[in-house]
Amino acid sequence: MRKLIMAMAMLAVLVGAVRAADELDMDLMQTIEDTNKSLSSNIALKNVKGSTDDAKELETLFAKVENHFVAKGDAPDAVDLSRKSKDLATAIVKAVGAQQFDAATDSATEISRACRSCHTFYKKS
Ligand code: HEC
């Protein structure tokens, strides 16, 4: 009986771990949302330092999203969209550094479009 309980407890832990790996961390998406908003206003204000910091943060965050979908498997569009968003963030860092705020705004608009595309296909609610 004791062994059975132990086995069941271990199974519960395992199932929990698998489930956690399967779902995207909500805090991560919330951070992406906040950072993306901050980036838009920093670009609008032509704040080079703020825009650069936000865009670099988005690069890191989208790399995490990409890893999540690579690990999850069977989500090639999500992997592409994460990669594309990460590249756009890199483009923003460069554009802002060169004082090209129009180009930065265009890339920011494209990132927001990628958010919506991914949510259309992969967000359940
Ligand atoms: C590659 C796919 C992908 C991209 C790109 C993406 N998201 Fe998401 N996002 C998701 C998924 C999947 C969920 C829902 C997770 C779930 O339901 O398990 C989600 C959930 C969210 C949520 C809800 C979080 C909550 O607490 O309920 C917000 C807000 C959000 N995303 C914002 C953004 C913003 C802003 C961007 C772009 C800057 C973005 N996302 C880009 C896949 C993506």
Side-chain angles (χ1 to χ4, degrees):
M1 188 62 195
R2 219 204 193 115
K3 270 191 184 152
L4 183 65
I5 291 171
M6 282 279 286
M8 281 173 68
M10 274 168 69
L11 190 68
V13 170
L14 259 166
V15 169
V18 169
R19 200 167 282 158
D22 199 47
E23 261 165 43
L24 197 58
D25 187 351
M26 281 302 179
D27 288 348
L28 174 61
M29 269 300 149
Q30 202 52 60
T31 309
I32 287 182
E33 162 114 339
D34 296 344
T35 311
N36 194 44
K37 276 192 191 143
S38 166
L39 175 64
S40 298
S41 55
N42 275 324
I43 292 174
L45 294 168
K46 300 195 189 328
N47 176 343
V48 174
K49 167 93 173 65
S51 312
T52 306
D53 289 351
D54 288 340
K56 282 192 174 157
E57 164 122 29
L58 279 180
E59 283 183 295
T60 311
L61 295 167
F62 280 121
K64 287 189 187 161
V65 177
E66 181 186 344
N67 289 341
H68 164 83
F69 283 106
V70 168
K72 186 174 188 285
D74 198 28
D77 297 337
V79 173
D80 279 354
L81 285 164
S82 324
R83 231 167 248 167
K84 187 180 164 197
S85 305
K86 199 177 64 185
D87 291 347
L88 285 164
T90 309
I92 292 175
V93 173
K94 287 203 189 114
V96 164
Q99 303 277 334
Q100 291 167 350
F101 292 99
D102 287 347
T105 303
D106 289 347
S107 298
T109 307
E110 278 210 55
I111 289 187
S112 296
R113 217 173 274 149
C115 313
R116 282 196 296 273
S117 305
C118 193
H119 292 161
T120 304
F121 292 112
Y122 293 97
K123 195 166 167 282
K124 283 154 226 143
S125 48

